[in-house]
Amino acid sequence: MSCGASFTSISIGTLARSKAAYRPLGAVEEEPVDTHRLKDSFAKIAMHGDEVPLFFYSDLFIKHPEVRELFPISMKAQRDHLIVALGQVISQVDRVDELSAFLRGLGRDHRKFGAVAENYEYVRDSLLETIAHFSGDAWTPELATDWMDAYTLIANVMLNAAIQDEATRPAFWQGTVVSCERKAFDVSVLQVRTEPRLDFTPGQSVAVESPARPRLWRYYSIANAPREDGTLEFHVRLIDGGAVSMALTYLQAVGGSLRLGPPVGVLRLDTSSGRDILMVAGSTGLAPLKAMTEQLAAGPAPPKTHLFFCARTVDGLYDLGSIEKLAAEHDWLTVVPVTTADPRFEGESGSVPDVVLRSGSWSGHDVYLAGPTEMVRDTSARLISAGTPRGQIHVEDFGWSEP
Ligand SMILES: Cc1cc2nc3c(=O)[nH]c(=O)nc-3n(C[C@H](O)[C@H](O)[C@H](O)COP(=O)(O)OP(=O)(O)OC[C@H]3O[C@@H](n4cnc5c(N)ncnc54)[C@H](O)[C@@H]3O)c2cc1C
Ligand code: HEM
């Protein structure tokens, strides 16, 4: 089965009818799933640690060996990704309406893996087998029905979105690296042309796969507003031992190819409030905020915008030149470089929330934060305590912390 495999051969109807025990959506609504029972069951299973994904994947790959090729060659580092995600998402089935946008995005995004409708049945069967195995005596017909119904509901939302997406967009985009510049020891900036053109909203990211690391996909934010030639800019921070960032930094040559998934993410600029804007970028968290700044520059009457660009050391302020150039061209934009641990730097330094908070009052601003988890979390919490309403804060959490 290839990554470009199509959904058209199997419809959701087929999926729902193909097993007698597979309940259609209507039945789920009539008999609401007991989410407390689901969450409790998942928490108990999770206590078995690594044994759970091992059992799940062994069951899946023994019964359906062709599915193995959808997953990375080495699954050491990430064998718990899917199973943890499945457990977390499915046990939140009571929030399916709230999670609908996320699930639809997830379904569209799964096309790049080559996941087709029948795979959803295989995953369901192995998931139930795994939960039954680790539940022991706690596995009752009621619990089995809860898991089955919850999975059906979630899988149907994902599959519906995937099927609709198939009519208008490819499963993935073919990219060619047109330039690659090492802006700092640990940050490279790549310009990529895609085929076909990939439309996106500034603030969004796409999953990227390098041919040197087949089937290992990592998200990278697009660092530019849409361009006439359709090229995309990515800021890649080199992570010591990081599978994909090392491949993109050391093995990706100009002219080389990449594959890109569909644009994802809910971070996007909204100037409808008329409020001024505060942006705080940590390291390559600059990428989505730079894209949004370019979008502001291209639009009418941009609001006053303060952009704090933060890195541990001055070398980490890798793209300062280009955003300072933008600030020199536009009086509505102020750029403040910040280092958190560099005695050589003569500008603003200290912890990111401290620097931001002592530089002004932000309660009347729309706020955009992007970068490492810790920075995003701490800055957001401090802004909220200082009076910025939670609803005015928009974040893109890259999902990691500074080493
Ligand atoms: C929505 C989104 C957008 C993102 N956008 C960008 C972007 O624009 N630019 C960018 O550089 N990254 C971005 N990331 C992070 C990126 O997806 C990868 O996580 C990162 O490149 C590491 O991947 P890897 O395969 O090299 O490392 P892995 O092989 O996945 O990780 C190796 C080890 O390093 C740790 N680790 C992973 N990432 C970091 C990190 N950044 N700092 C310290 N330790 C780390 C892991 O916990 C693991 O122990 C984004 C992430 C998300 C979720
Ligand atoms: C209800 C069903 C499913 C849910 C909720 C789900 C959810 C997820 C999530 C949240 C991720 C992590 C995303 C990321 O890190 O990019 C993931 C990864 C993945 N999923 Fe799914 N998924 C489902 C079904 C499937 C199916 C049917 C397949 C095909 C066999 C599949 C294949 C994959 C692959 C290959 C990965 C990436 C590999 C990995 O990180 O381990 N998923 N899934």
Side-chain angles (χ1 to χ4, degrees), residues 1 22 56-57 60-61 67-72 75 77-90 102-103 106-107 109-110 112-124 127 150-156 158-159 207 215-219:
M1 190 180 309
Y22 211 91
F56 169 78
Y57 283 117
L60 182 66
F61 296 157
V67 173
R68 176 64 184 93
E69 72 181 57
L70 271 54
F71 289 83
M75 298 205 26
Q78 58 189 83
R79 65 177 170 222
D80 59 349
H81 271 203
L82 174 56
I83 186 91
V84 169
L86 278 168
Q88 283 174 347
V89 173
I90 291 165
F102 166 75
L103 292 174
L106 195 60
D109 202 42
H110 265 59
K112 71 175 191 284
F113 296 135
V116 294
E118 62 192 329
N119 300 149
Y120 281 78
E121 293 187 57
Y122 304 161
V123 164
R124 176 201 62 199
L127 178 71
Y151 183 92
T152 306
L153 203 56
I154 302 257
N156 278 356
M158 288 173 65
L159 268 167
R215 295 184 290 285
L216 271 185
W217 295 83
R218 297 285 184 271
Y219 291 101

Side-chain angles (χ1 to χ4, degrees), residues 205 218-221 235-237 239-246 284 287-288 396-403:
S205 29
R218 297 285 184 271
Y219 291 101
Y220 292 96
S221 300
H235 298 178
V236 179
R237 173 156 168 213
I239 301 303
D240 192 17
V244 175
S245 63
M246 285 186 74
T284 45
E396 185 63 283
D397 175 354
F398 281 8
W400 39 264
S401 295
E402 288 289 346

Side-chain angles (χ1 to χ4, degrees), residues 107-188:
R108 289 191 289 266
D109 202 42
H110 265 59
R111 290 186 59 217
K112 71 175 191 284
F113 296 135
V116 294
E118 62 192 329
N119 300 149
Y120 281 78
E121 293 187 57
Y122 304 161
V123 164
R124 176 201 62 199
D125 294 345
S126 292
L127 178 71
L128 264 73
E129 200 72 50
T130 307
I131 296 165
H133 175 83
F134 288 101
S135 299
D137 292 344
W139 187 243
T140 59
E142 292 75 26
L143 190 55
T145 307
D146 282 348
W147 276 102
M148 176 70 84
D149 284 350
Y151 183 92
T152 306
L153 203 56
I154 302 257
N156 278 356
V157 176
M158 288 173 65
L159 268 167
N160 257 324
I163 289 167
Q164 280 169 14
D165 194 55
E166 198 185 33
T168 54
R169 297 196 302 184
F172 55 83
W173 282 253
Q174 205 60 56
T176 306
V177 178
V178 291
S179 84
C180 183
E181 195 184 342
R182 198 80 175 262
K183 290 266 191 177
F185 164 72
D186 62 351
V187 181
S188 300

